[in-house]
Amino acid sequence: IESMEGFKEGRIENLTPEVYTTGITRIFWGLFKKVVIVQWLIAEQLMTPYQGLLDQVLADPTGIAFPKLATCLVLCLLYAYVDLSAYTDIAIGLGNCMGRNICENFSWPLFRRNIGEFWRCYHMSLSGWCQRHVFTPVLMAGRNTPLAIIAAFMTMGLWHHLNLNWATWAAHHSLGVIWIYYISQLTAEKVPTLADGGKLHKALTPLAVALTVLYVAGGISVVFISDMNTAIEVYLRFFSLGLLS
């Protein structure tokens, strides 16, 4: 999603050979991600009929072992991320070749230490649009941060598809961001070593990154699985660490 102002400012005045080389390289990188990483590597493990992890989960959503379920959902997340970022690379490369710099859409989101940081780096054109046009107006009108977060994620979710799956996805991410919002305020006041730059903050970064990936992966179950009843079964089994059946 590119604003008209950004589109106008992105005009490349001088189309040099270097600009074309950069654009073509970006296109081929996007094609490599789409064909090799998404279709050959991830989809092969995830979506092979009857043998892929997704079919195994759907065949027994309440009985599948937690490690296999977690692997499946992380692969679903990787599929969605790499697939969308591949199309972004192709679009940016084509834009370069046609004389336009298009905004970046991702900034290593899977290496962020909480869900708030994740959404500042994932699908940045959409999340940025929702921040400017939904979150900020709702926050200014009501002075209620949780309400503004929920409004932004509901807009983002229902923009994808107007159904219960995406509304549930929006609620999942809203709760995660609200939780981080309050925890960040609390730790900054009560536990300075956990605040940004603190020693404990740095030491716990690998664990925080892993937990963030798992939280996002758990949420993707409700949109990757179209049947809502099955999706909720998978969601609950995942977040109960396989204890619920």
Side-chain angles (χ1 to χ4, degrees):
I1 301 174
E2 181 71 86
S3 66
M4 183 58 68
E5 181 180 350
F7 182 76
K8 291 178 179 178
E9 292 177 353
R11 185 170 182 268
I12 301 173
E13 299 292 341
N14 186 17
L15 285 172
T16 62
E18 288 77 13
V19 172
Y20 284 111
T21 300
T22 300
I24 292 170
T25 301
R26 193 71 181 263
I27 291 170
F28 275 102
W29 174 235
L31 290 172
F32 175 83
K33 287 162 72 174
K34 175 64 180 176
V35 175
V36 177
I37 300 178
V38 174
Q39 297 296 336
W40 289 357
L41 297 180
I42 301 177
E44 181 73 19
Q45 297 298 317
L46 191 62
M47 299 176 179
T48 300
Y50 306 110
Q51 296 180 346
L53 281 173
L54 189 57
D55 270 7
Q56 293 181 44
V57 169
L58 295 177
D60 187 16
T62 59
I64 192 165
F66 176 76
K68 185 174 287 189
L69 176 60
T71 302
C72 176
L73 293 182
V74 169
L75 283 177
C76 288
L77 172 60
L78 287 174
Y79 182 96
Y81 165 52
V82 180
D83 191 54
L84 184 55
S85 69
Y87 286 119
T88 298
D89 289 330
I90 294 169
I92 290 174
L94 287 171
N96 290 159
C97 294
M98 292 186 286
R100 295 285 175 182
N101 279 319
I102 300 174
C103 66
E104 293 290 341
N105 210 21
F106 299 93
S107 180
W108 302 101
L110 300 185
F111 294 93
R112 304 303 166 179
R113 66 185 322 278
N114 64 56
I115 190 67
E117 291 181 9
F118 172 88
W119 275 110
R120 284 190 284 272
C121 300
Y122 185 89
H123 209 336
M124 295 185 294
S125 60
L126 176 59
S127 60
W129 187 94
C130 287
Q131 182 180 31
R132 293 189 301 272
H133 298 285
V134 181
F135 175 84
T136 300
V138 173
L139 181 63
M140 295 296 290
R143 302 294 179 181
N144 187 320
T145 300
L147 179 62
I149 291 171
I150 293 169
F153 277 103
M154 281 297 170
T155 301
M156 198 182 307
L158 298 179
W159 175 86
H160 283 88
H161 209 294
L162 196 64
N163 62 19
L164 184 59
N165 295 69
W166 280 102
T168 304
W169 174 92
H172 170 83
H173 283 278
S174 297
L175 289 174
V177 173
I178 291 169
W179 168 260
I180 289 298
Y181 169 73
Y182 283 117
I183 287 297
S184 298
Q185 289 186 326
L186 180 64
T187 54
E189 296 175 1
K190 304 295 184 181
V191 192
T193 54
L194 273 175
D196 287 350
K199 293 182 179 179
L200 192 55
H201 178 276
K202 294 178 180 179
L204 292 177
T205 291
L207 176 61
V209 169
L211 291 175
T212 299
V213 168
L214 290 174
Y215 186 82
V216 178
I220 208 169
S221 62
V222 296
V223 294
F224 224 87
I225 301 171
S226 57
D227 180 73
M228 194 60 190
N229 290 331
T230 304
I232 292 299
E233 288 179 346
V234 170
Y235 182 90
L236 292 176
R237 184 162 180 81
F238 177 76
F239 282 103
S240 68
L241 304 182
L243 298 178
L244 289 181
S245 59

